Amino acid sequence: DTAVSQTPKYLVTQMGNDKSIKCEQNLGHDTMYWYKQDSKKFLKIMFSYNNKELIINETVPNRFSPKSPDKAHLNLHINSLELGDSAVYFCASRAGGGTNEKLFFGSGTQLSVL
Amino acid sequence: KQEVTQIPAALSVPEGENLVLNCSFTDSAIYNLQWFRQDPGKGLTSLLLIQSSQREQTSGRLNASLDKSSGRSTLYIAASQPGDSATYLCAVGGFKTIFGAGTRLFVKA
């Protein structure tokens, strides 16, 4: 059983299109995240939700809109895709805010904007 | 603002060597520090998590230490193997978890 699963694994699309990436975790965790890993492999946090509530919203263009229908799901919708959006997007989750709670990652979605 | 730095950026060692990867952070008000492994084209696998009140954690050939006062953590890998080749990332946990840029390790057979 995959603990944190993302779909699709690969996404190739044209500039200007709108696309979504889905994430689901079956760990019963309260908190979920979206991270972006750029071409230099640097991971940056984008958003975090706790029990469906947005708690972290980094300086991300408002073309990016996360949605959490329930605490097991956190989707990422991107409008009007740009070349610079090409990256690997990772979903992650953790149980809560305690000091002993590990982050668990999905396998990533490689987005290529042409 | 928390900044996390990992040194070296890349490392190549012969099989069997013991090695140390370094991670430093600027703000000592952290919840925990977590070391991850990332294989090419794959997600991140958690290796060790050290809580802010702890000094070290061990798992098999891996040992991670934490010195909050100096803003440093090290990941020690004993008797390295070619299968250890990957990128190792440290992540400092607070309200946000902030990642270093990683150390790319290559272990030669």
Side-chain angles (χ1 to χ4, degrees), chain B residues 67-81:
Chain B
D67 184 344
K68 270 200 335 177
S69 60
S70 66
R72 292 182 191 168
S73 176
T74 61
L75 179 66
Y76 175 82
I77 303 176
S80 58
Q81 303 171 357

Side-chain angles (χ1 to χ4, degrees), chain B residues 84-97:
Chain B
D84 294 331
S85 299
T87 297
Y88 291 81
L89 296 145
C90 79
V92 175
F95 179 62
K96 304 173 190 174
T97 297

Side-chain angles (χ1 to χ4, degrees), chain A residues 39-84:
Chain A
S39 56
K40 295 182 180 176
K41 306 301 181 187
F42 201 61
L43 266 167
K44 288 185 181 177
I45 190 168
M46 300 174 68
F47 301 103
S48 176
Y49 272 71
N50 181 270
N51 270 320
K52 303 192 298 176
E53 298 291 328
L54 180 66
I55 58 170
I56 294 174
N57 185 349
E58 286 295 279
T59 310
V60 176
N62 57 16
R63 298 181 295 104
F64 290 78
S65 53
K67 281 191 172 51
S68 182
D70 56 62
K71 74 174 193 176
H73 296 84
L74 180 61
N75 303 323
L76 183 64
H77 188 75
I78 315 170
N79 289 328
S80 303
L81 278 155
E82 299 178 358
L83 293 176

Side-chain angles (χ1 to χ4, degrees), chain A residues 1-7 21-34 48-53 67-76 90-96 101-107:
Chain A
D1 279 347
T2 303
V4 183
S5 58
Q6 296 179 227
T7 54
I21 307 171
K22 295 187 176 181
C23 179
E24 175 182 5
Q25 53 93 4
N26 63 7
L27 298 166
H29 287 171
D30 291 329
T31 307
M32 296 184 72
Y33 304 83
W34 279 109
S48 176
Y49 272 71
N50 181 270
N51 270 320
K52 303 192 298 176
E53 298 291 328
K67 281 191 172 51
S68 182
D70 56 62
K71 74 174 193 176
H73 296 84
L74 180 61
N75 303 323
L76 183 64
F90 285 100
C91 177
S93 73
R94 69 160 22 120
E101 286 150 2
K102 292 183 180 180
L103 262 180
F104 290 83
F105 278 81
S107 57

